[in-house]
Amino acid sequence: MNRIFITDVAPRDGLQNQPQPVSTQAKLELIGLLAAAGLSSIELTSFVSPKAVPQMADAAELVPLVNAGHPSLRSSVLVPNLKGLERAHLAGAREIAVVLSATETMNRKNINMGLAQATEVSEQTLLAAHQLGLRTRAYVAVAFDCPFEGATPLDTVLQLASRMQAAGAGEIVIADTIGSASPGMVKERLSALAGTVAVDKLAVHFHDTRGMGVANAWAALEAGVRRFDASTGGLGGCPFAPGAAGNLATEDLVLMAERSGFSTGVSMDGLMTAIDFLEAQMQRPLGGRAISWLRRERQKRRDASAQGMDVPA
Ligand code: COA
Ligand code: ZN
């Protein structure tokens, strides 16, 4: 299969960590630009404690606005517990993602539960979401290394992924929360996971802390994975995971995939427009590893079209 599926997490993973407030209207505009760029799945926000993550306090306002403006968009929201599910459902969310970390300490820091409790709560939340007719995703965070406990045992990741599958998760998202993975490790872990859970349910979520995001995505492709999280402009990071940098940039992933014979359905010009918008909002330069080249190419196309020539994107 030569199609890959991207969930853009910029409105959630990207914005959750930003110091300056971003208005609901600006979030809505960003989501509109991402949808217009051809991203058919977008993680909108999270229904978490507004004390823990103030940037996501407007989740219940945002979801109905997105539903009204984009009735056929696949959109998900992160929920840490049953209260989050209830709030998300009331707001009209169509898909939820539970957030389970693979270590004791990361769960405590992130959602104030130990590993055993977080696993049970994630299972209960998935089952309850299913009964409500919602689609589901399950993150398995710190699936490579934990900022508090070091290397995460592969066995734990395999067990948690199996339990999330058994609880009905439509997608199991293997997350390199701090961006410490490298391609050899990705291939090894994803190949083991593909032997344990259905490979078409596996997704990967990389952060680009060490510049290996694209290489890791390639390793995941080689292991048979076709579902990827990425964040436009590379914006991202977890406030509870020290050392986590931005996500693998959507534009880097799209460039790599398209140049390697995979289709993404995403327009690079559309992504660039979304990055321009995000830069204006954040008041700082954004973009993944390829951004300078992508900008030069866009300028060439603009110059050529100003002279009446047509240069393919
Ligand atoms: N949404 C909003 N409020 C929530 C909530 C949710 N999903 N879950 C619990 N709360 C509220 C409770 O109602 C309670 O409110 P009160 O103080 O007004 O009575 C308060 O939060 C404490 O509830 P408790 O169940 O004791 O939660 P906690 O203090 O143990 O915190 C979480 C647990 C999960 C709510 C909190 O750790 C959290 O929101 N973490 C965010 C994780 C995150 O977004 N990480 C980044 C993405 S991976
Ligand atoms: Zn992340």
Side-chain angles (χ1 to χ4, degrees):
M1 186 169 87
N2 273 354
R3 176 81 156 90
I4 68 160
F5 302 92
I6 302 175
T7 295
D8 201 293
V9 297
R12 197 279 301 171
D13 210 352
L15 294 183
Q16 70 182 9
N17 210 14
Q18 303 307 315
Q20 69 275 52
V22 178
S23 71
T24 310
Q25 205 50 44
K27 292 176 184 177
L28 187 62
E29 206 170 321
L30 169 64
I31 292 159
L33 291 171
L34 297 175
L39 285 152
S40 54
S41 172
I42 300 176
E43 191 175 62
L44 305 178
T45 183
S46 47
F47 286 84
V48 295
S49 161
K51 284 181 204 140
V53 189
Q55 252 337 336
M56 301 287 113
D58 62 350
E61 284 84 58
L62 182 65
V63 168
L65 292 171
V66 175
N67 286 349
H70 306 277
S72 58
L73 176 71
R74 182 177 165 205
S75 57
S76 55
V77 301
L78 185 145
V79 303
N81 54 19
L82 285 165
K83 169 150 189 174
L85 172 65
E86 188 188 318
R87 289 180 59 220
H89 181 55
L90 267 176
R94 299 189 280 244
E95 178 166 8
I96 58 102
V98 296
V99 55
L100 173 63
S101 298
T103 66
E104 187 71 24
T105 318
M106 190 64 225
N107 279 303
R108 291 226 173 271
K109 299 275 181 187
N110 196 35
I111 56 173
N112 197 24
M113 299 172 209
L115 176 57
Q117 192 193 355
T119 309
E120 279 166 28
V121 166
S122 296
E123 287 170 333
Q124 288 161 7
T125 307
L126 289 170
L127 292 168
H130 193 64
Q131 280 164 4
L132 293 168
L134 307 184
R135 289 177 78 156
T136 55
R137 314 178 86 210
Y139 280 104
V140 178
V142 297
F144 296 87
D145 293 292
C146 170
F148 308 104
E149 296 189 17
T152 302
L154 175 58
D155 271 357
T156 311
V157 178
L158 294 174
Q159 276 172 29
L160 296 179
S162 295
R163 282 183 66 173
M164 293 302 102
Q165 174 169 261
E171 255 177 43
I172 299 149
V173 191
I174 303 302
D176 180 20
T177 310
I178 57 171
S180 66
S182 47
M185 196 184 194
V186 169
K187 199 165 176 184
E188 183 207 326
R189 292 208 159 194
L190 269 301
S191 300
L193 279 156
T196 308
V197 296
V199 69
D200 60 347
K201 287 195 175 170
L202 281 174
V204 283
H205 175 114
F206 294 120
H207 284 256
D208 209 12
T209 317
R210 303 185 190 180
M212 293 203 201
V214 160
N216 288 340
W218 178 253
L221 268 171
E222 288 207 310
V225 173
R226 295 292 178 268
R227 299 178 187 278
F228 295 83
D229 283 8
S231 175
T232 291
L235 196 67
C238 175
F240 308 103
N247 292 65
L248 166 61
T250 308
E251 60 275 20
D252 287 351
L253 175 63
V254 167
L255 184 63
M256 181 276 274
E258 299 267 348
R259 292 280 169 140
S260 307
F262 292 89
S263 68
T264 62
V266 178
S267 137
M268 191 57 86
D269 275 341
L271 278 184
M272 301 291 283
T273 305
I275 296 169
D276 291 345
F277 175 78
L278 266 174
E279 285 194 330
Q281 286 292 320
M282 298 297 133
Q283 303 273 299
R284 64 186 167 87
L286 290 170
R289 310 279 163 184
I291 194 68
S292 307
W293 182 82
L294 288 170
R295 287 219 161 94
R296 285 200 301 276
E297 289 298 300
R298 175 168 70 169
Q299 195 54 48
K300 275 193 217 163
R301 286 197 297 281
R302 284 179 174 168
D303 293 347
S305 92
Q307 290 166 20
M309 290 185 285
D310 201 13
V311 178

